[in-house]
Amino acid sequence: MRKPAAAKPARKVKAKAKPAEPAMDVAVGRRIRDLRRVRQFSLETVAARTDLSIGFLSQIERGLSSPSLRVLATLADVLGVGIAALFGASPSADGASDQVVTRGLQRPELKLWRTGVSKQLLSPASADNKLNLFLVHLEPGGSTGDELYTHDGEEAGLVLEGEMMLTVDSQTWSLKTGDSFRFASRRPHRFSNPSQDVKSVVLWVNCVTGAG
């Protein structure tokens, strides 16, 4: 009589590695929390000034939520900084910095991985900078979202690669390589990459006029 074949051990299914992007959410949340504490703002104060819920703000600070560029711009306004302060060095009490040069391999990056937008900071990082230079990468279909947003300052840019759709107030432009723009950041705006297969790269300048 033949013995029944021994059952094969069940194959272990390898757990999928978690994406690295949430680490960026944790880092950004920590910087927002540090800036808030330096300014001695409570979560309640920030919530009241941004129309964001305390629970959502707490999730952002703990890295449990990936904020949009619109939300980050709103928080930067309330904290009295440019958006560059959210992904530079940890802010000091006075924001002082005497750095002049940023090396190509040392660029801080803010990667909004859910929306396909990433910003590399080309100018030295400091919480008190009024003028900041960025290299913005828009993945195919990447966008700041359907909702227009505003923040302090002025901005200008030059499309280096690909195409970008820019909306300011009620007007929309299709910008291609070599096209440039400038507008006051208090004018409602949004931008996106309309291509489904080509990334766009934009050299972007933000000048904060009311921070500090």
Side-chain angles (χ1 to χ4, degrees):
M1 187 174 179
R2 296 179 63 185
K3 294 182 179 180
K8 292 183 179 180
R11 293 179 61 188
K12 291 184 178 180
V13 178
K14 291 184 179 180
K16 291 184 178 179
K18 291 184 178 181
E21 288 88 344
M24 177 66 69
D25 295 340
V26 172
V28 170
R30 186 176 297 121
R31 292 177 188 124
I32 291 171
R33 181 197 61 201
D34 290 346
L35 282 164
R36 177 177 63 79
R37 289 178 175 175
V38 164
R39 283 148 181 75
Q40 299 183 336
F41 289 167
S42 66
L43 280 173
E44 290 80 2
T45 298
V46 176
R49 296 183 183 183
T50 59
D51 289 330
L52 300 172
S53 72
I54 294 174
F56 181 46
L57 290 172
S58 178
Q59 285 188 327
I60 291 174
E61 289 194 357
R62 290 181 291 155
L64 302 178
S65 181
S66 182
S68 66
L69 188 57
R70 179 183 66 83
V71 168
L72 290 178
T74 300
L75 288 170
D77 259 10
V78 168
L79 295 170
V81 297
I83 198 169
L86 303 185
F87 59 108
S90 297
S92 61
D94 59 5
S97 172
D98 59 358
Q99 187 179 350
V100 175
V101 173
T102 299
R103 301 294 182 185
L105 297 178
Q106 298 175 334
R107 297 172 184 169
E109 184 176 26
L110 179 64
K111 191 172 183 181
L112 305 172
W113 57 282
R114 292 187 186 278
T115 59
V117 180
S118 65
K119 302 181 74 169
Q120 290 183 341
L121 180 61
L122 306 183
S123 49
S126 173
D128 66 348
N129 282 357
K130 297 294 191 293
L131 182 68
N132 290 291
L133 181 64
F134 301 94
L135 199 61
V136 177
H137 294 257
L138 292 167
E139 296 297 328
S143 169
T144 57
D146 295 331
E147 190 174 351
L148 299 173
Y149 68 100
T150 65
H151 53 95
D152 177 69
E154 290 186 67
E155 50 201 287
L158 169 67
V159 179
L160 300 178
E161 299 177 22
E163 181 181 2
M164 182 182 76
M165 300 298 293
L166 173 66
T167 297
V168 179
D169 296 323
S170 59
Q171 191 168 358
T172 299
W173 295 267
S174 173
L175 303 177
K176 301 185 184 301
T177 301
D179 293 339
S180 54
F181 59 89
R182 188 207 67 83
F183 59 92
S185 305
R186 285 298 178 194
R187 298 174 67 182
H189 58 279
R190 65 179 296 272
F191 58 89
S192 64
N193 178 2
S195 174
Q196 296 304 308
D197 51 18
V198 178
K199 183 171 77 170
S200 55
V201 181
V202 184
L203 182 66
W204 208 297
V205 180
N206 279 103
C207 180
V208 182
T209 57

